[in-house]
Amino acid sequence: MTLYGAGIIFFSFFYTAVVFNPEETAENLKKYGGFIPGIRPGKATETYLDYVLTRVTVIGAAYLAVICLLPEFVVAQMGITALALGGTSLLIVVNVTMDTVTQIQSHLLAHQYGDLIKKAKLKGARNR
């Protein structure tokens, strides 16, 4: 279980390092005129983004480790051998559910905008 938890934490940091580059983000903010209030553009922004990213990743990695290890501890302490839903399975189920809800919401929103555009065009056509 220790190796499992260490793997979760390591890969959380690894994935974050691969996906998000604070140096590139700070440079893009500076290039396009964006800024973080109270933080100077450039190196100070990069340092701030790295600081915030590290803190968020530590909290997120700890949360993931707890969620994945909690069912394992329950099984080990209570001696239950037929626990059907482990920590990784729970994460997958929650992620798929959240993704499905997001897709449904975006579809409904696009449908509402489509109806709004149709109504606007019809209303404009009558005025001419």
Side-chain angles (χ1 to χ4, degrees):
M1 281 193 262
T2 303
L3 186 61
Y4 184 42
I8 291 168
I9 292 169
F10 170 76
F11 284 110
S12 295
F13 277 94
F14 179 76
Y15 180 77
T16 303
V18 168
V19 170
F20 188 82
N21 184 356
E23 182 180 347
E24 181 182 333
T25 304
E27 184 63 34
N28 285 339
L29 279 171
K30 185 178 179 182
K31 185 172 25 174
Y32 293 112
F35 64 95
I36 298 173
I39 308 293
R40 294 181 59 94
K43 185 69 176 166
T45 300
E46 177 186 343
T47 304
Y48 177 76
L49 288 174
D50 189 43
Y51 171 74
V52 170
L53 184 66
T54 302
R55 291 182 70 176
V56 169
T57 305
V58 165
I59 294 168
Y63 175 74
L64 287 174
V66 167
I67 293 297
C68 287
L69 291 175
L70 192 62
E72 299 296 329
F73 283 125
V74 169
V75 167
Q77 293 299 318
M78 295 191 163
I80 302 171
T81 58
L83 187 62
L85 194 63
T88 308
S89 302
L90 184 63
L91 286 175
I92 292 170
V93 167
V94 168
N95 191 24
V96 168
T97 303
M98 288 174 58
D99 188 43
T100 303
V101 169
T102 303
Q103 287 182 3
I104 290 170
Q105 286 176 341
S106 66
H107 178 72
L108 290 173
L109 190 63
H111 185 70
Q112 286 176 342
Y113 279 129
D115 288 346
L116 185 64
I117 290 171
K118 286 178 186 176
K119 288 178 184 177
K121 285 183 180 178
L122 289 174
K123 194 173 189 179
R126 289 181 189 161
N127 291 339
R128 292 182 187 181

